[in-house]
Amino acid sequence: MTLRAILTDADREPLLARTRQLAEMAREEDFGRGDITGARLADQGTGRFRLVAKQKGVFAGREIAATVLDVYSPDLSVRWMEAGADGAIIAEPPQDLAELAGPVDAVLAVERVLLNFLQRLSGVATATRRYVDAVAGTNARIL
């Protein structure tokens, strides 16, 4: 089940606004005084970053990825693979989830922050799936 499927627009907008705020805070923390490496890589062309699941689990975070990318650069784009759908089960790693492309400095700047969001959300989704599986066949529900 995707975030879009379980949240109303009234719930979704504040969540994406908070995501933007957190991504802006991360950007400020990383580059508040400037980024020497990024400055040297500016105008160095386009770079690519492959997002690969290396463990079994449940992927989550696609819904917020566009917000995080937008905070770092409007020139970043992402192409999602089938395994990169929110709620997708990663049963046989490694699995390509997505490919990020854009200016080299922007790709390098955003990759760690995007990974932090996606790893955390996927970890929560994976733990939740374990709980749901553990109570399967009972009257219990995980909320």
Side-chain angles (χ1 to χ4, degrees):
M1 183 173 291
T2 67
L3 180 65
R4 188 175 302 278
I6 60 175
L7 292 179
T8 66
D9 285 341
D11 294 327
R12 187 174 173 272
E13 292 310 315
L15 177 64
L16 293 178
R18 181 66 175 142
T19 299
R20 175 172 293 283
Q21 182 181 28
L22 290 170
E24 288 169 349
M25 289 169 58
R27 183 171 165 67
E28 178 63 27
E29 180 179 313
D30 286 346
F31 307 115
R33 295 187 202 124
D35 177 23
I36 297 169
T37 305
R40 290 180 182 251
L41 293 172
D43 302 321
Q44 294 298 310
T46 300
R48 296 194 182 284
F49 168 79
R50 278 185 35 229
L51 179 62
V52 179
K54 294 183 179 181
Q55 295 182 23
K56 293 180 179 183
V58 178
F59 177 73
R62 179 174 174 165
E63 181 80 15
I64 60 94
T67 300
V68 175
L69 297 177
D70 187 55
V71 166
Y72 279 78
S73 173
D75 299 322
L76 290 166
S77 65
V78 64
R79 182 174 58 93
W80 291 98
M81 311 308 176
E82 187 177 327
D86 273 325
I89 305 294
I90 309 300
E92 295 188 30
Q95 282 280 332
D96 285 353
L97 302 172
E99 183 177 83
L100 176 68
V104 172
D105 57 332
V107 169
L108 289 174
V110 76
E111 60 89 15
R112 183 188 60 78
V113 172
L114 184 61
L115 283 174
N116 286 346
F117 273 98
L118 298 179
Q119 287 174 330
R120 178 68 171 185
L121 292 169
S122 295
V124 170
T126 299
T128 302
R129 170 80 324 193
R130 281 191 208 114
Y131 299 143
V132 168
D133 290 346
V135 300
T138 72
N139 289 329
R141 288 184 8 177
I142 304 298
L143 302 176

